[in-house]
Amino acid sequence: MRYTIRYDTDNQKWTVIDTALADQKVGVHQTAQAAVYHAFAEQDLWRRHDPATERPAPPMA
């Protein structure tokens, strides 16, 4: 995964880091859950541009 979540002890907040862009901060959050959600949302934005990791269509019920 391209994005990492780290706890910033100085500010007591969770940060989302883009490891592909020299560890650039892309978000700061109060909770770990919000940071995880943000990291996965950012990853999904990049995933649609990568044909090797396209998600299969959901099964028809």
Side-chain angles (χ1 to χ4, degrees):
M1 189 158 148
R2 174 179 175 154
Y3 297 92
T4 303
I5 300 161
R6 295 184 189 148
Y7 186 70
D8 182 1
T9 56
D10 294 335
N11 297 321
Q12 298 180 345
K13 298 192 191 256
W14 293 89
T15 57
V16 179
I17 309 291
D18 187 346
T19 58
L21 290 176
D23 290 344
Q24 179 181 6
K25 283 185 186 178
V26 293
V28 178
H29 300 278
Q30 294 287 342
T31 65
Q33 183 179 8
V36 168
Y37 181 80
H38 182 192
F40 275 93
E42 290 286 339
Q43 183 68 30
D44 282 342
L45 288 175
W46 284 103
R47 185 171 293 172
R48 71 177 130 153
H49 299 293
D50 185 7
T53 59
E54 285 184 14
R55 293 182 182 179
M60 300 301 278

